[in-house]
Amino acid sequence: MTTTSTSGRMPQLAPVPSAGDLLHGVADRLELSLEQVERTLAEANLTVASPAAADRRLRVLRLRAQGVKHSGAAFTIEQAFSPGVWAIVHPDNSAGKTSLLELLVWPLRGEPRDLPPDVRSWLRYLSLDVAVAGRPVRIVLDLDPDTSPRTRTSVRARILTADTIEELLTTDDDGMLRLLAQAAGAAEVNRCIGRFMLDTLRMGMTSVWQATGGADGEGAPQLHGWAAYFGACYLNPGGDEILLGDVSAAGLPARLLELFVDIPYSTALTQLSVATKREQKVRAQARRRAEGDAEARRSQRTQWEQQLAQVTAEIVAVQAAADQETSLVLQAADQTAEQLRRQRAELREVEQTLAETRARRVRAQQSLLDARESWQARRVLGRLDPVCCPRCEEPLGTGRHETERHDASCAVCTRPLPPVDNQTAQAILRGLEQDQETAGQAEEHAVALRAMAAAAADAAHTAHQEAAAALEQALATSQAHRRLRDLELQAAGLQGRLEATGTPTQEPPPPLSAQVVEAVKDAVQTTVAASAKQLFPAMNAQIVQLAARFGVQNLDSVSLNRAGQVNAVKAGVPTNFKDLSRGDRLRMRIATVIALLRVGADRGVAAHPGLLLIDSVAAEEVAQVPARTLIAELQTVASELPDLQVVLTTAQPELLEDLHPDRLISSDEEHLF
């Protein structure tokens, strides 16, 4: 919800979220902690701080200069300034109007924009008292001309301050003021004054992305400092096509517009946009490299596939030739291998038969030995008369012996004693002896067969070794087989390459740091767009009103956008800024800057310095009426905006009839100084 200001000209901005609120929203969106988001921004050297109104007022108080002309005549300039409209006027050309304006520009900007070299060489001392954001400051330039015409005048700068403006203006001795900064050399003086102005006015270097910048021509951030900002104070002439600023850089007019209308977070958005575009550039380059690699791989894969097909076909042809070349020795090797297999199988069978016959002979021999031992033992034991048990040694007693003699039973085990037949025993023994002899003969036969089988197996083994050696020799000396091995190795290598490059590489997701910066930029951009949506309609209305008062004819409407463009409609026809007349361009510039001041005043902020320097205000006019109207309206606006200070130059004194004589800087001499 908005509230109406006391001036009634425009609504106040709706509440702007704090930096903490924005970063909390980003953290929630990315499911991160606030500390992670802040740390990521810090690592990227980015800062998002809650907006605070800045005091960027810049008011000229007094100009003093001393020098010596080429003629040897010394000159001194001392001119006090106050808020309102001031005019540097002289009817003659080359009378020093622009040079005098440039004497204001040099200490304020850090270097002059259009100061003639001869006038530059005249100067010895240049001092400008200014109030910078309410701070009394004196900028002193000490200049020493070099005797060589090929070298530029050397310059030294001192930036001094006092406690009050009154003290500053009443102190003529620079040594009585406090020194804030000093520098020597044109480049260092420019940097010193620029740094001081940016710091005091709470402004920083602005980074604008240049799409074709960088060593690779693919984009790079372009830094702009105080000199670029000062272009919103020192207005371009009517012939220039840039709305604000005197530096032709894409995006810079928009940056000046957002800064001086005090759109919250506009500076942070610029930094985040540059960081995002830098990351996009890096990712685009990586993507192109990956696509190039993939395209190269695709081309290589096609070539490899063709080569593999050719190699495979050649392998088939060479394989047939190689088989034909070694078929005889290969067949011989196969035959000897088969013969060796059969002989070894036969040897195993013979060895199995030998083992069985040997086992039968051993069993027959053991049976004969057992029989002989049993017979001898029975003959011996039959004559024994034991008195005790051979196991436990208990006495048998006389009854056991009597029973054995009476019943023919053993006195020890009480079993019946077998009959002992000597002829039967001899017959059994002769049978066992015959079995042993037969088994021995069978074993001898098996041993002979085994020896024959072993000899045959050895012979087959030798034959196979010779055939294998012949095959190996044939393969080693075969041109076809050597070629086949080379082709198989080549085919394996090609197959490996195809497998290694078969899966296309996918683009990795953006790193977390890039996601955080992009999300913060989106959040800040939304806030900036919302503020611009509230501020720009009021700006448009102010520009239309002021431009009409300044003499722009048939202006129906303007549409100022965040790109720094003023799209006008004149007599119902859309008209770009560059298509306006030279005079209308200058009026539109003045109207735009004053609209910035008015919108700022309605909001209680001083985002624009409130200083306007206009060279040759009537140079673009073909009639006096529009120029007189413009100057008169500037005086009216200055009475409405007490902080506005305008310094203009003109060669037409008749345009300044309504301007107070005290506000005229002129001379009856041929030159102003």
Side-chain angles (χ1 to χ4, degrees):
M1 182 176 181
T2 59
T3 58
T4 304
S5 67
T6 55
S7 66
R9 280 199 286 259
M10 70 160 290
Q12 293 290 337
L13 284 180
V16 177
S18 67
D21 293 337
L22 290 176
L23 298 184
H24 266 298
V26 171
D28 293 341
R29 172 182 163 189
L30 298 179
E31 297 182 350
L32 299 172
S33 66
L34 178 61
E35 291 73 16
Q36 287 177 296
V37 173
E38 292 175 335
R39 183 170 61 252
T40 301
L41 291 177
E43 290 172 352
N45 198 26
L46 296 171
T47 303
V48 178
S50 297
D55 184 357
R56 299 195 180 101
R57 290 173 300 171
L58 184 62
R59 185 160 58 112
V60 176
L61 302 174
R62 181 174 61 180
L63 170 68
R64 292 184 296 171
Q66 298 174 6
V68 180
K69 297 184 179 181
H70 288 164
S71 63
F75 66 90
T76 300
I77 299 173
E78 182 166 351
Q79 177 65 53
F81 292 86
S82 61
V85 179
W86 289 78
I88 303 173
V89 58
H90 197 286
D92 298 333
N93 293 326
S94 302
K97 297 183 292 295
T98 298
S99 296
L100 189 57
L101 186 66
E102 289 289 338
L103 296 186
L104 293 174
V105 172
W106 193 346
L108 288 173
R109 188 173 182 262
E111 61 179 353
R113 191 170 73 180
D114 192 22
L115 183 63
D118 57 340
V119 177
R120 183 192 296 256
S121 67
W122 298 349
L123 292 171
R124 301 294 182 270
Y125 175 84
L126 182 59
S127 171
L128 187 67
D129 292 334
V130 290
V132 185
R135 186 177 189 180
V137 172
R138 177 173 297 170
I139 302 174
V140 178
L141 301 180
D142 296 303
L143 302 110
D144 294 325
D146 196 283
T147 55
S148 173
R150 295 184 180 182
T151 59
R152 300 181 63 182
T153 302
S154 63
V155 58
R156 296 183 303 278
R158 290 171 291 155
I159 301 178
L160 311 165
T161 187
D163 292 333
T164 63
I165 292 178
E166 182 181 2
E167 179 186 352
L168 180 72
L169 295 176
T170 56
T171 304
D172 294 332
D173 185 359
D174 297 338
M176 300 299 294
L177 300 176
R178 295 191 303 278
L179 179 66
L180 296 177
Q182 59 183 344
E188 188 57 35
V189 166
N190 187 13
R191 284 191 290 268
C192 178
I193 293 175
R195 284 194 300 267
F196 173 77
M197 288 295 185
L198 291 178
D199 292 343
T200 307
L201 297 177
R202 291 178 56 190
M203 301 164 66
M205 299 285 287
T206 189
S207 181
V208 178
W209 187 260
Q210 186 180 20
T212 58
D216 54 9
E218 296 186 6
Q222 189 177 53
L223 287 177
H224 299 280
W226 171 243
Y229 291 132
F230 194 70
C233 297
Y234 193 2
L235 299 187
N236 298 331
D240 200 292
E241 296 181 357
I242 304 175
L243 175 63
L244 291 178
D246 54 2
V247 179
S248 180
L252 188 58
R255 173 73 187 106
L256 297 178
L257 184 63
E258 290 181 343
L259 178 72
F260 291 131
V261 79
D262 196 34
I263 295 181
Y265 295 110
S266 61
T267 299
L269 179 59
T270 300
Q271 296 173 346
L272 290 163
S273 297
V274 168
T276 301
K277 290 177 180 177
R278 182 188 292 110
E279 175 65 23
Q280 290 172 349
K281 171 187 172 181
V282 172
R283 289 178 55 79
Q285 290 177 333
R287 183 167 54 253
R288 285 200 301 274
R289 287 194 298 269
E291 290 173 352
D293 293 342
E295 181 61 30
R297 285 196 299 271
R298 283 192 293 270
S299 176
Q300 289 176 331
R301 281 180 58 83
T302 301
Q303 182 180 358
W304 294 338
E305 288 171 350
Q306 294 173 351
Q307 292 177 355
L308 181 59
Q310 294 173 356
V311 170
T312 302
E314 190 172 356
I315 285 175
V316 173
V318 173
Q319 180 71 57
D323 291 344
Q324 183 178 1
E325 191 175 304
T326 59
S327 59
L328 294 178
V329 290
L330 181 61
Q331 183 178 1
D334 291 342
Q335 290 174 351
T336 56
E338 178 62 22
Q339 182 64 24
L340 177 60
R341 184 190 65 77
R342 288 198 301 269
Q343 292 298 329
R344 286 180 173 174
E346 184 177 345
L347 176 61
R348 287 194 296 272
E349 292 178 0
V350 171
E351 288 178 341
Q352 179 65 29
T353 301
L354 174 60
E356 292 175 354
T357 57
R358 180 171 290 146
R360 286 197 299 271
R361 192 264 305 166
V362 170
R363 287 196 299 273
Q365 184 178 5
Q366 187 64 42
S367 297
L368 178 59
L369 291 174
D370 290 345
R372 286 175 177 172
E373 289 176 358
S374 298
W375 172 245
Q376 293 296 332
R378 184 171 295 176
R379 292 177 61 189
V380 173
L381 292 175
R383 297 185 180 93
L384 293 178
D385 187 15
V387 296
C388 65
C389 176
R391 182 177 182 185
C392 63
E393 298 183 357
E394 288 293 329
L396 296 179
T398 57
R400 288 286 188 95
H401 291 285
E402 291 178 356
T403 303
E404 179 179 333
R405 287 190 295 269
H406 185 270
D407 297 333
S409 61
C410 179
V412 177
C413 64
T414 71
R415 292 180 180 177
L417 291 173
V420 180
D421 186 352
N422 186 49
Q423 292 181 353
T424 302
Q426 290 298 325
I428 292 173
L429 289 175
R430 282 196 298 272
L432 292 174
E433 288 172 354
Q434 183 63 39
D435 291 343
Q436 178 183 357
E437 182 179 355
T438 302
Q441 292 174 354
E443 181 181 8
E444 291 175 359
H445 181 67
V447 169
L449 291 177
R450 192 263 178 199
M452 294 173 61
D458 290 341
H461 178 69
T462 301
H464 177 65
Q465 285 184 323
E466 292 173 352
L471 176 61
E472 185 175 355
Q473 179 66 23
L475 293 176
T477 58
S478 172
Q479 296 294 333
H481 277 81
R482 282 202 298 270
R483 177 60 179 161
L484 182 61
R485 284 195 297 270
D486 294 340
L487 290 173
E488 288 174 343
L489 290 174
Q490 186 177 354
L494 290 170
Q495 189 65 40
R497 293 178 188 177
L498 290 171
E499 291 177 357
T501 59
T503 303
T505 303
Q506 296 183 350
E507 181 181 0
L512 180 60
S513 58
Q515 297 180 45
V516 170
V517 173
E518 180 74 26
V520 174
K521 188 206 77 171
D522 291 344
V524 171
Q525 192 169 34
T526 300
T527 302
V528 169
S531 299
K533 187 176 181 180
Q534 298 178 69
L535 286 172
F536 277 34
M539 287 281 297
N540 293 335
Q542 289 287 330
I543 292 172
V544 171
Q545 176 189 358
L546 290 165
R549 289 171 59 181
F550 292 160
V552 178
Q553 302 295 319
N554 302 318
L555 182 62
D556 299 328
S557 66
V558 297
S559 178
L560 186 67
N561 59 31
R562 288 177 49 219
Q565 300 169 337
V566 176
N567 301 305
V569 177
K570 293 190 67 177
V573 179
T575 307
N576 293 326
F577 180 78
K578 66 178 182 179
D579 296 329
L580 296 172
S581 69
R582 298 167 65 92
D584 281 352
R585 286 184 217 164
L586 179 59
R587 295 186 189 95
M588 291 288 281
R589 283 193 190 94
I590 299 172
T592 300
V593 173
I594 293 178
L596 292 174
L597 294 170
R598 276 188 168 177
V599 170
D602 288 345
R603 295 169 54 212
V605 297
H608 188 279
L611 174 66
L612 281 183
L613 305 179
I614 309 171
D615 191 22
S616 301
V617 68
E620 315 295 348
E621 307 299 345
V622 295
Q624 292 185 1
V625 174
R628 182 179 287 110
T629 300
L630 172 60
I631 295 173
E633 288 300 331
L634 281 174
Q635 294 183 74
T636 302
V637 172
S639 65
E640 299 171 359
L641 299 172
D643 287 332
L644 175 63
Q645 189 174 41
V646 181
V647 181
L648 56 87
T649 70
T650 181
Q652 303 180 42
E654 62 273 15
L655 302 179
L656 307 172
E657 295 175 353
D658 296 332
L659 195 63
H660 194 281
D662 291 342
R663 301 294 180 91
L664 297 177
I665 304 173
S666 185
S667 174
D668 296 332
E669 303 293 333
E670 182 181 359
H671 300 286
L672 289 173
F673 61 93

